Amino acid sequence: MRHRQVDENALKVDHSARVILSLWAAWKSRKVTKNSEDVLLAGRSIGMLLGIFTMTATWVEGGFINGTAEGVYSGGLVGSQAPFAYSVCLAFSGFFFARRMRQNGYATIIDPFQQKYGDMMGALLYIISLSGDVFVVAAILGALGSTLSVVLNIDYNISVIVAACVAVLYTFFGGLFSVAYTDVLQLIFMFFGVWLIIPFAISNDAVMDLSTNYTDVWVKELDPSTAGVYIDGWLQMILGAIPWQVYFQRVLAAKSAYIAELLSYLGVIGCFIVVIPSLLVGIIATQTDWSMTTYMSGNSSMLADEDIPLVLPLVMEHLCPKAVALFGLGAVAAAVMSSVDSAVLSSSGQFSRNVYKRIIRKTASEREQIWVLRASTIVFGVIATSVSIYVRSIYALWVLCSDIIYVILFPQLTCAIYFSSANTYGSLVAFIVGLFFRVAGGEITLGLDPIIKYPWHKVDDDGTVVQLFPHKTLSMLLSLFSLLFVSWFTNWLFDNGILSPKFDILRKHSRTKYKNN
């Protein structure tokens, strides 16, 4: 494909502005940042206005706006579940979890796990959370690399490394204060940048009237045979996106429990507003005769299959003037940066507080924890960047981690917050059960053949088994019921003296009077 050569100075200015703003935020927070928790949660001083910006910017990342355009192009509005499901997720999180988490004074999502199930079980669950953050960051950086390679003809690896370095730099110096203040700049840039390309793209001669055959082209209909998978996807994205530290970091940093809950509701509105231009880009792409543009892929009026993930940058490149494409590129870069910094900080913060302090070195001072947090920021940034560069099937890995978070972390968090009887035995069994049944269901994108063939499955011509049963939700429910049942059963055995206290090997039976002896 032939790419347009454009000036790169705009990107340099964009990155410089972020660094300057983040360093100013770090200086501003010098009186607030007294310990590792302050670095992680900005001294729990995030107010309403700043909170709305940082909540929305964190949720609407590069994958969100790029993926929305791609989803509309390939599956229509009906098949583009992610922007709507992830937005609704904020409302569910706010209603059921935000106020309780903030009132309990937690600093990370691992805190309630360790309080309820013990330090080691919390560390095990941290691995799932870390995997999600690492692969999401890698996928987001990959989205930026792909966009830059189309619009600017910049080497993929170089663009990924530069973006990661900028995000790690201001996160290292300022913690959540730097992340939150740069989110304001990034959200504004993202919103106006994507909106700017709409009038130019829609007025291009290659774009047909959007009302032409809209039902078949960009609305489309749901295949009844895929209803189970469709419902599975909605539940996975609504409930599976709740146990993410990047979300709870904003909730727990709010000045009060009331603000924490309200931010979640307002974040829904913010997400819907910001995602509208991405939806329009996807619609415009479906109504474009690509053979009439500078897009070089034969004479087809459609995009080549391998270029479908690049819908947004291709619209900028081939339907908009050079200057507009540059500004739109800045919007994509802003979306990417607003989520990379959050995920890196969440992973490093959890490691410093929940692994290093609670397990590795319990006598660590606050100063030591801060430096461990900063060092972890660099380490996790390097890991995510390496994965983005060397693992090209990053989207498949991101999907699998999203599944595991839904199947494992959501039941664990629900029981830790709402069920006082939940204990370590139930948590461990639920972890094993959820993981087994999810893996046993197979994963086409990773080439994992299913061990269990659920009802309604079909076999393609190449022998691939396609699961049409909502097996992800089934795995989550089995994990949830396992946690509740095993917790109740072990509590009953110890409470009634059927098992002696000496058999409480984990010493985490939730209701025994001797557990602190």
Side-chain angles (χ1 to χ4, degrees):
M1 181 185 302
R2 181 173 62 85
H3 303 301
R4 184 182 301 167
Q5 300 291 332
V6 293
D7 187 7
E8 301 174 22
N9 290 332
L11 271 186
K12 296 177 181 178
V13 171
D14 183 41
H15 288 325
S16 299
R18 291 192 183 94
V19 173
I20 293 172
L21 181 59
S22 66
L23 293 177
W24 172 82
W27 175 83
K28 186 179 186 299
S29 66
R30 68 197 187 284
K31 294 182 180 179
V32 178
T33 306
K34 300 177 180 179
N35 53 49
S36 58
E37 185 172 308
D38 289 337
V39 174
L40 187 62
L41 300 177
R44 299 189 190 272
S45 61
I46 299 296
M48 185 67 70
L49 182 60
L50 180 59
I52 294 173
F53 273 98
T54 188
M55 179 71 79
T56 305
T58 298
W59 219 239
V60 184
E61 32 81 5
F64 197 101
I65 63 175
N66 281 57
T68 297
E70 175 191 348
V72 173
Y73 184 85
S74 58
L77 287 180
V78 173
S80 185
Q81 299 169 280
F84 307 105
Y86 281 133
S87 298
V88 172
C89 167
L90 288 177
F92 274 76
S93 302
F95 187 80
F96 291 104
F97 294 97
R99 183 179 290 268
R100 288 174 177 262
M101 291 285 286
R102 181 62 181 86
Q103 287 176 337
N104 288 335
Y106 297 129
T108 72
I109 193 176
I110 305 299
D111 282 356
F113 296 153
Q114 292 187 318
Q115 179 178 307
K116 176 67 71 173
Y117 311 128
D119 290 347
M120 295 304 296
M121 192 65 215
L124 181 62
L125 295 172
Y126 165 70
I127 296 175
I128 303 299
S129 178
L130 172 63
S131 300
D133 283 339
V134 167
F135 289 116
V136 165
V137 170
I140 294 171
L141 289 173
L144 177 60
S146 299
T147 302
L148 290 175
S149 67
V150 170
V151 180
L152 296 183
N153 200 26
I154 295 177
D155 181 75
Y156 174 90
N157 294 348
I158 293 177
S159 62
V160 167
I161 292 173
V162 170
C165 287
V166 172
V168 169
L169 176 64
Y170 63 72
T171 305
F172 180 92
F173 281 108
L176 186 59
F177 257 113
S178 289
V179 171
Y181 276 101
T182 52
D183 278 349
V184 176
L185 174 66
Q186 290 156 354
L187 184 62
I188 294 173
F189 208 120
M190 179 199 320
F191 180 75
F192 288 104
V194 181
W195 264 115
L196 180 63
I197 71 176
I198 300 299
F200 293 95
I202 202 171
S203 60
N204 191 286
D205 293 338
V207 180
M208 298 179 289
D209 185 348
L210 300 187
S211 63
T212 304
N213 299 323
Y214 65 90
T215 302
D216 298 327
V217 177
W218 55 265
V219 175
K220 299 189 178 181
E221 298 179 352
L222 176 67
D223 182 354
S225 66
T226 64
V229 177
Y230 193 74
I231 295 173
D232 211 13
W234 272 97
L235 292 175
Q236 175 195 330
M237 285 181 278
I238 292 176
L239 303 181
I242 292 176
W244 286 87
Q245 173 66 10
V246 290
Y247 162 73
F248 280 109
Q249 203 162 27
R250 274 74 188 158
V251 166
L252 300 174
K255 289 183 178 180
S256 66
Y258 169 75
I259 292 179
E261 183 176 353
L262 190 58
L263 286 179
S264 301
Y265 300 142
L266 295 176
V268 178
I269 300 175
C271 287
F272 276 123
I273 292 175
V274 175
V275 82
I276 289 174
S278 293
L279 291 171
L280 291 175
V281 168
I283 293 172
I284 290 171
T286 63
Q287 298 287 64
T288 299
D289 184 348
W290 290 96
S291 64
M292 296 175 59
T293 70
T294 53
Y295 173 72
M296 304 296 290
S297 183
N299 297 319
S300 174
S301 62
M302 306 293 291
L303 292 176
D305 291 342
E306 63 270 17
D307 288 336
I308 291 178
L310 303 174
V311 167
L312 181 60
L314 287 175
V315 167
M316 293 190 295
E317 165 73 357
H318 299 288
L319 300 182
C320 300
K322 181 188 299 184
V324 174
L326 253 186
F327 204 80
L329 174 60
V332 176
V336 168
M337 302 299 287
S338 67
S339 295
V340 169
D341 51 19
S342 300
V344 169
L345 181 62
S346 73
S347 296
S348 58
Q350 290 175 88
F351 177 80
S352 173
R353 176 183 177 87
N354 300 108
V355 179
Y356 186 81
K357 173 66 175 178
R358 298 292 293 268
I359 297 175
I360 297 176
R361 184 173 165 80
K362 296 183 178 181
T363 59
S365 65
E366 287 295 335
R367 181 179 177 82
E368 184 177 346
Q369 288 185 70
I370 290 176
W371 279 105
V372 169
L373 187 153
R374 288 173 173 170
S376 301
T377 298
I378 298 175
V379 171
F380 294 136
V382 170
I383 293 174
T385 303
S386 301
V387 172
S388 182
I389 291 174
Y390 294 109
V391 182
R392 296 298 180 174
S393 60
I394 191 63
Y395 179 75
L397 295 173
W398 177 82
V399 169
L400 182 61
C401 286
S402 176
D403 289 351
I404 294 177
I405 288 174
Y406 172 51
V407 171
I408 296 179
L409 290 192
F410 176 71
Q412 300 277 355
L413 180 63
T414 301
C415 291
I417 298 298
Y418 282 99
F419 294 92
S420 59
S421 61
N423 62 30
T424 310
Y425 298 101
S427 176
L428 181 58
V429 172
F431 182 95
I432 297 172
V433 169
L435 184 61
F436 169 77
F437 278 97
R438 178 59 194 96
V439 173
E443 181 57 47
I444 295 177
T445 54
L446 293 180
L448 295 177
D449 295 327
I451 300 174
I452 302 175
K453 297 180 181 179
Y454 292 97
W456 311 336
H457 73 273
K458 67 177 183 179
V459 181
D460 289 341
D461 295 337
D462 60 358
T464 302
V465 177
V466 179
Q467 304 277 24
L468 298 179
F469 186 83
H471 61 286
K472 301 173 187 176
T473 299
L474 175 63
S475 301
M476 184 276 292
L477 291 175
L478 290 173
S479 179
L480 175 64
F481 292 149
S482 297
L483 201 160
L484 293 174
F485 175 76
V486 173
S487 295
W488 168 82
F489 185 62
T490 53
N491 287 338
W492 178 78
L493 290 176
F494 287 113
D495 284 347
N496 291 278
I498 298 175
L499 286 180
S500 170
K502 67 181 181 181
F503 293 111
D504 189 6
I505 56 176
L506 297 179
R507 301 191 66 78
K508 294 299 176 184
H509 163 46
S510 65
R511 293 184 294 184
T512 52
K513 297 179 180 179
Y514 58 82
K515 69 176 181 178
N516 292 321
N517 293 343

